[in-house]
Amino acid sequence: MTSSSYWTPPPPFVSYVSAKGALNGLTSVLAANLAAHHITVNGVAASLVRTATAAENTSEFFFEQTVRMQNIKRVQMPADVSGVVAFLASDDAAFITGQIVVADGGSTRR
């Protein structure tokens, strides 16, 4: 899991965004190195997902601010991400590798 904040970095999150950028690079390098073994490697970049931990540690204001930046005007839930992950792990995605799939409600519009 990576994050769409890599493309729209909030200023105080230097370490977090740097770590997610490293995951994006690792995804690319692993995809190149493992393709010969028929192993695909992809990442999913989500927005702020309302997990139990996020709800406990994130103010409602931040969830609302995130929704305002998205085209889909609701809080992202775990199911919004798990479907993408399930697809990438399925045989239907057997020819997809080295990609970062952005599932963030349209906040980055890449």
Side-chain angles (χ1 to χ4, degrees), residues 17-94:
V17 173
S18 298
K20 295 305 182 175
L23 283 175
N24 293 352
L26 181 63
T27 298
S28 179
V29 170
L30 286 176
N33 283 288
L34 296 174
H37 303 285
H38 306 286
I39 298 171
T40 61
V41 181
N42 297 289
V44 177
S47 185
L48 176 60
V49 179
R50 189 186 295 274
T51 62
T53 301
E56 204 173 284
N57 297 301
T58 307
S59 73
E60 192 59 32
F61 172 79
F62 196 59
F63 280 103
E64 292 167 2
Q65 185 178 21
T66 301
V67 169
R68 282 194 296 275
M69 294 185 304
Q70 297 171 178
N71 291 337
I72 299 173
K73 300 296 183 191
R74 65 173 175 77
V75 172
Q76 187 169 28
M77 301 302 289
D80 296 319
V81 180
S82 62
V84 178
V85 173
F87 167 71
L88 290 172
S90 76
D91 289 340
D92 291 334

